[in-house]
Amino acid sequence: MSEAVAGAVAERFEELYGAGPEGVWAAPGRVNLIGEHTDYNDGFVMPFALPHIAVAAVSRRDDGVLRLHSADIEGGVVELRLDDLVPESDRKWTAYPAGVVWALREAGHPVTGADVHLASTVPSGAGLSSSAALEVVVALALNDLYELGLKRWQLARLCQRGENVYVGAPTGIMDQTASACCESGHALFLDTRDLSQKQIPFDLAAEGMRLLVVDTQVKHAHSDGEYGKRRAGCEKGAALLGVDALRDIPYADLDAALGRLGDEEEVRRLVRHVVTEDERVEKVVALLESGDTRAIGPVLVAGHASLRDDFRISCVELDLVVDTALASGALGARMTGGGFGGSAIVLAEAAEVDTITKALQEAFAAAGFTAPRVFEAVPSAGARRLR
């Protein structure tokens, strides 16, 4: 499959630029099993990579020019001069790969230009990190071609900087790290403070279960302000509580911490979500390591309630997925990703998948919503060179 995709992308590169690429790379989207909006609070997250990938055919240039083309966006090749790359000057898709080049050069790495052709199967706007996949695949390609010697976590950091500063979206480190570092058949337990990682075996098929991704088809955008408001509120909470980040509030001390926030009701809700969500991540890790995988279902449900009621980033479509799935026999369900649309995940016995899928389709039709896209999420490999 990946070889066929690599061949097609390389062929189109040659049509566009007149010569074959120096290589072809892939980087996946991700689903976050648990740990939402904890990454920019120095907390814990637990994503795994999807089989859906962004693929890039790339060659070096030595003239300070970056040429970009996407198979998924209408339009021809976009040509940019590296010396003209300025943060927040680009509101189009090209900001993501250009931001990576900007971040590499700003960090002192000798990137002198590139020709890039991209194609992606990661659904855009579904909360599955299509933008991070785009960033990581370009970063990995340039790291290899220019022999920069950067480790995967360092590439993730630079991609995050590109998105934060160049694109202007205040995202945390999880998405890029997941795309760069995940392993097939595992979920990634990541401490976003020190970037320490632990691969946790997560093979649902072997235990007779499935994890479904339900794309509500409701699009969301991280840079539209709501994400930034939540992040600012979390930072305010940490400042009021006298800690570097909300990660530093122990779960056992949560009630006392909330009591110290006085009449800051909105901040109190944000703090409660982050502290309890970190606890949920650790609980899921312990359950998976002990082999009690089915018991993570109620933890996922509790996570959704917290995102809905405390963080207030769910929407009627996401709530409908969770409520319908649980009523149809799912073991657990929750929204995943940044919120305000995007996708939910559903943990189910394999034998219940068809029943749950049918119930979801009927519920959306009855509500007059666009039909959801439902597919199985299989923990897959992180970024890699294809050829």
Side-chain angles (χ1 to χ4, degrees), residues 275-299:
V275 176
T276 59
E277 188 78 345
D278 274 336
E279 172 77 0
R280 282 186 285 273
V281 177
E282 293 188 287
K283 190 177 291 184
V284 167
V285 171
L287 289 169
L288 291 179
E289 290 189 324
S290 69
D292 197 4
T293 305
R294 283 172 175 79
I296 74 171
V299 187

Side-chain angles (χ1 to χ4, degrees), residues 218-282:
V218 177
K219 302 300 181 189
H220 71 155
H222 274 162
S223 27
D224 67 357
E226 289 298 327
Y227 184 102
K229 286 179 195 171
R230 302 302 187 282
R231 183 166 185 163
C234 290
E235 290 168 354
K236 181 179 180 181
L240 288 171
L241 292 168
V243 293
D244 290 338
L246 294 183
R247 144 71 172 282
D248 296 314
I249 305 297
Y251 179 70
D253 297 346
L254 176 59
D255 287 345
L258 295 177
R260 301 208 316 271
L261 289 172
D263 59 0
E264 294 279 356
E265 180 54 38
E266 184 178 354
V267 173
R268 185 166 28 243
R269 286 191 284 100
L270 299 178
V271 170
R272 182 165 52 225
H273 166 72
V274 173
V275 176
T276 59
E277 188 78 345
D278 274 336
E279 172 77 0
R280 282 186 285 273
V281 177
E282 293 188 287

Side-chain angles (χ1 to χ4, degrees), residues 7-30:
V9 172
E11 191 175 308
R12 181 66 175 128
F13 180 99
E14 188 163 356
E15 291 172 7
L16 289 164
Y17 299 119
E22 292 184 79
V24 180
W25 291 260
R30 66 96 188 98

Side-chain angles (χ1 to χ4, degrees), residues 175-377:
D175 296 348
Q176 293 86 357
T177 305
S179 186
C181 301
C182 279
E183 293 181 6
S184 179
H186 293 74
L188 179 69
F189 177 38
L190 173 67
D191 181 335
T192 65
R193 169 163 282 169
D194 62 12
L195 297 189
S196 60
Q197 304 175 16
K198 187 175 185 182
Q199 301 287 345
I200 309 293
F202 190 54
D203 185 0
L204 292 174
E207 298 187 61
M209 286 176 285
R210 300 288 186 271
L211 190 79
L212 302 178
V213 173
V214 184
D215 176 4
T216 64
Q217 309 280 355
V218 177
K219 302 300 181 189
H220 71 155
H222 274 162
S223 27
D224 67 357
E226 289 298 327
Y227 184 102
K229 286 179 195 171
R230 302 302 187 282
R231 183 166 185 163
C234 290
E235 290 168 354
K236 181 179 180 181
L240 288 171
L241 292 168
V243 293
D244 290 338
L246 294 183
R247 144 71 172 282
D248 296 314
I249 305 297
Y251 179 70
D253 297 346
L254 176 59
D255 287 345
L258 295 177
R260 301 208 316 271
L261 289 172
D263 59 0
E264 294 279 356
E265 180 54 38
E266 184 178 354
V267 173
R268 185 166 28 243
R269 286 191 284 100
L270 299 178
V271 170
R272 182 165 52 225
H273 166 72
V274 173
V275 176
T276 59
E277 188 78 345
D278 274 336
E279 172 77 0
R280 282 186 285 273
V281 177
E282 293 188 287
K283 190 177 291 184
V284 167
V285 171
L287 289 169
L288 291 179
E289 290 189 324
S290 69
D292 197 4
T293 305
R294 283 172 175 79
I296 74 171
V299 187
L300 302 183
V301 177
H304 182 76
S306 182
L307 289 162
R308 181 192 63 211
D309 301 336
D310 277 343
F311 229 67
R312 299 189 182 181
I313 56 171
S314 189
C315 63
V316 290
E317 292 87 351
L318 288 166
D319 293 342
L320 183 61
V321 173
V322 172
D323 294 344
T324 302
L326 294 174
S328 305
L331 296 165
R334 73 172 191 90
M335 62 155 284
T336 186
F340 310 106
S343 299
I345 55 173
V346 177
L347 179 68
E349 302 288 357
E352 300 295 329
V353 166
D354 290 346
T355 301
I356 292 168
T357 301
K358 185 168 182 283
L360 290 169
Q361 291 165 341
E362 290 174 350
F364 268 60
F369 298 151
T370 301
R373 178 172 178 241
V374 183
F375 59 91
E376 184 182 347

Side-chain angles (χ1 to χ4, degrees), residues 25-27 100 104 135-146 150 152 155 159 180 382-385:
W25 291 260
V100 170
L104 285 166
E135 294 159 1
V136 170
V137 75
V138 171
L140 183 62
L142 296 175
N143 186 52
D144 286 356
L145 290 175
Y146 282 97
L150 295 167
R152 295 301 183 95
L155 292 177
C159 289
R384 60 221 183 257
R385 188 169 188 159

Side-chain angles (χ1 to χ4, degrees), residues 102-123:
W102 172 85
L104 285 166
R105 284 167 53 84
E106 196 215 24
H109 301 293
V111 176
T112 54
D115 287 338
V116 182
H117 170 59
L118 293 149
S120 179
T121 60
V122 185

